[in-house]
């Protein structure tokens, strides 16, 4: 996917899996790569602002596709009322938000997890995942690789071949300081959902990943 070809902003990504891990790999074209200075110790929920990757995934195959769950903001912005069933779907812990970034001051490969469309239970750099970053030789991009245990993702069970999970990716770019967010590219969306609806506010916007 290309966000701004003239600026060298693009992303190519892959996902793989086995009985223990979900693997996420990407090559990101970035004119200011690996500059992120958002401190995981003080602002773990804001790591995306300095450039990085967010993946949202539903980790219960029984949920089917598209999945149902909206944030509180989805209802308030549209002046809609909610009921108990909608709240229960919104707080489903199998709706998982991953934010991945390279913290430049410490060279740490960071991972923040939050759950449900209410983003509860935030965890930063939990034990068990493995990750690495490498800057391109020409200084115009980077590669990332993550291996994340299904147990960290609150998976009901490991997906079986032929099953589908709801998934969406958002790549973020920052300015050269690694502090100021400049833009994003959202990929893997449900084409039936309007583009004006954000993936963080409505899980039905997430695309489909078929495990093979």
């Amino acid at each position: 996917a290309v966000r701004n070809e003239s600026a060298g902003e693009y992303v190519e990504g892959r996902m793989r899996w086995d009985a223990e891990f979900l693997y996420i790999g990407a090559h990101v074209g970035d004119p200011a790569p690996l500059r992120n200075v958002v401190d995981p110790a003080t602002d773990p929920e804001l790591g995306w602002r300095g450039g990085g990757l967010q993946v949202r995934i539903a980790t219960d195959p029984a949920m089917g596709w598209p999945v149902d769950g909206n944030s509180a903001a989805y209802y308030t912005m549209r002046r809609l009322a909610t009921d108990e069933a909608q709240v229960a779907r919104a707080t489903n812990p199998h709706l998982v938000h991953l934010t991945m970034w390279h913290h430049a001051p410490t060279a740490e490969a960071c991972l923040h997890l939050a759950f449900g469309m209410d983003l509860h239970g935030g965890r930063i750099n939990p034990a068990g995942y493995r990750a690495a970053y490498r800057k391109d030789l020409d200084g115009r991009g980077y590669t990332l690789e993550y291996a994340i245990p299904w147990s960290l993702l609150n998976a009901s069970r490991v997906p079986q071949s032929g099953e589908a999970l709801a998934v969406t990716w958002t790549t973020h770019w920052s300015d050269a300081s690694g502090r100021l967010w400049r833009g994003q590219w959202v990929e893997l969306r449900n084409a039936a959902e309007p583009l004006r609806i954000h993936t963080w506010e409505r899980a039905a916007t997430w695309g489909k990943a078929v495990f093979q």
Side-chain angles (χ1 to χ4, degrees), residues 75-132:
Y75 295 103
T76 57
M77 287 190 294
R78 293 162 180 81
R79 300 180 181 179
L80 299 173
T82 58
D83 57 31
E84 291 184 4
Q86 290 169 326
V87 171
R89 289 192 291 270
T91 57
N92 188 327
H94 297 300
L95 299 173
V96 188
H97 308 258
L98 301 81
T99 303
M100 294 158 276
W101 75 100
H102 177 272
H103 183 231
T106 62
E108 185 173 22
C110 297
L111 172 66
H112 181 262
L113 299 172
F115 304 90
M117 301 308 290
D118 60 339
L119 304 178
H120 69 268
R123 303 181 66 187
I124 181 64
N125 297 342
Y129 78 95
R130 304 196 301 266

Side-chain angles (χ1 to χ4, degrees), residues 14-15 22 24-26 52-58 95-100 111-114 144 148 153 166-172 187-188 199 206:
R14 297 287 187 274
M15 296 175 66
L22 173 68
I24 298 172
L53 175 67
Q54 289 184 304
V55 172
R56 308 180 199 278
I57 182 169
L95 299 173
V96 188
H97 308 258
L98 301 81
T99 303
M100 294 158 276
L111 172 66
H112 181 262
L113 299 172
L144 66 85
I148 305 169
L153 300 175
V167 173
T168 188
W169 283 40
T170 303
T171 308
H172 296 275
E187 191 61 274
L188 299 176
T199 56
W206 301 359

Side-chain angles (χ1 to χ4, degrees), residues 28-36 102 104 135-136 138-142:
V28 180
D30 190 335
L34 306 184
R35 306 283 184 90
N36 195 320
H102 177 272
K135 186 185 293 186
D136 289 357
D138 63 3
R140 300 286 295 177
Y142 62 92

